[in-house]
């Protein structure tokens, strides 16, 4: 009778071990499936982020070109304000008045709003310079982030 009880206990232990192994395999299978889903999700997110990064790079390049154009406009406006002719390539000796008001009065076709436009342009220039400096500062940070 003691042998039957031992045999019974042994069979119960084997059955419990089988059940434990089955649960362990199920847990591993579930964990594996979750990891596959996570991998797929992260791959999709990575592709989306790469696409977004490409769009940001294109936008950054567009802003760099716009920035260069605005700098050129600002340079030309400053040349005009200082009494230059706005064109860095001048042939011959051309004498222009030093005062911006004289230039405007010599043009003859400029309407009375020209002075107001100039003042507005000067205010706009200082705001543009501030914005350009901010863009230049943020551009280097953006480039550093994009390089990662």
């Amino acid at each position: 009778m003691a042998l039957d009880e031992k045999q019974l206990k042994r069979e119960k232990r084997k059955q419990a071990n089988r059940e434990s192994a089955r649960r362990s395999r199920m847990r591993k299978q579930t964990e594996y499936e979750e990891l596959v889903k996570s991998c797929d999700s992260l791959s999709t997110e990575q592709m989306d982020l790469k696409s977004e990064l490409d769009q940001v790079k294109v936008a950054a390049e567009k802003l760099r070109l716009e920035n260069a154009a605005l700098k050129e406009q600002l340079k030309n406006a400053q040349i005009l304000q200082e009494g230059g002719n706005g064109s860095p390539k001048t042939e011959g000796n051309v004498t222009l008045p030093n005062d911006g008001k004289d230039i405007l009065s010599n043009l003859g076709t400029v309407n009375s709003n020209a002075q107001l436009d100039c003042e507005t342009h000067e205010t706009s220039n200082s705001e543009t310079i501030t914005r350009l400096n901010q863009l230049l500062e943020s551009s280097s940070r953006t480039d550093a982030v994009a390089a990662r």
Side-chain angles (χ1 to χ4, degrees):
M1 188 98 155
L3 190 58
D4 285 339
E5 285 181 26
K6 262 186 161 180
Q7 188 71 18
L8 188 59
K9 283 184 179 181
R10 186 173 181 194
E11 284 299 319
K12 281 185 176 181
R13 195 170 60 244
K14 280 184 177 180
Q15 185 61 32
N17 284 344
R18 285 185 196 116
E19 206 42 49
S20 176
R22 186 185 67 78
R23 286 192 307 267
S24 178
R25 285 190 300 271
M26 293 290 282
R27 274 194 311 270
K28 285 182 181 180
Q29 180 66 28
T30 303
E31 183 179 338
Y32 171 77
E33 289 171 358
E34 288 175 6
L35 287 173
V36 167
K37 286 180 186 177
S38 176
C39 181
D40 290 343
S41 173
L42 290 172
S43 294
T44 303
E45 184 179 358
Q46 181 186 24
M47 288 174 41
D48 291 344
L49 290 173
K50 281 183 179 181
S51 174
E52 186 178 345
L53 178 62
D54 290 341
Q55 290 174 354
V56 168
K57 284 180 181 179
V58 167
E61 185 59 30
K62 184 177 177 182
L63 287 173
R64 280 189 196 99
L65 293 174
E66 184 180 349
N67 186 21
L70 288 173
K71 280 183 177 181
E72 187 64 29
Q73 287 178 1
L74 181 60
K75 180 180 171 184
N76 291 339
Q78 287 174 342
I79 289 172
L80 282 174
Q81 285 179 347
E82 293 171 1
N85 66 355
S87 173
K89 299 177 183 175
T90 19
E91 296 180 8
N93 293 331
V94 178
T95 307
L96 294 173
N98 290 332
D99 188 12
K101 292 179 184 175
D102 291 339
I103 292 172
L104 293 176
S105 64
N106 288 338
L107 291 175
T109 58
V110 177
N111 63 22
S112 62
N113 290 332
Q115 183 63 34
L116 180 60
D117 289 344
C118 285
E119 291 169 1
T120 305
H121 184 68
E122 288 171 5
T123 308
S124 175
N125 280 347
S126 65
E127 293 171 358
T128 303
I129 290 171
T130 304
R131 278 189 257 145
L132 287 174
N133 286 333
Q134 290 172 346
L135 282 173
L136 287 173
E137 290 170 6
S138 67
S139 175
S140 61
R141 284 180 282 197
T142 305
D143 291 345
V145 171
R148 292 183 189 172

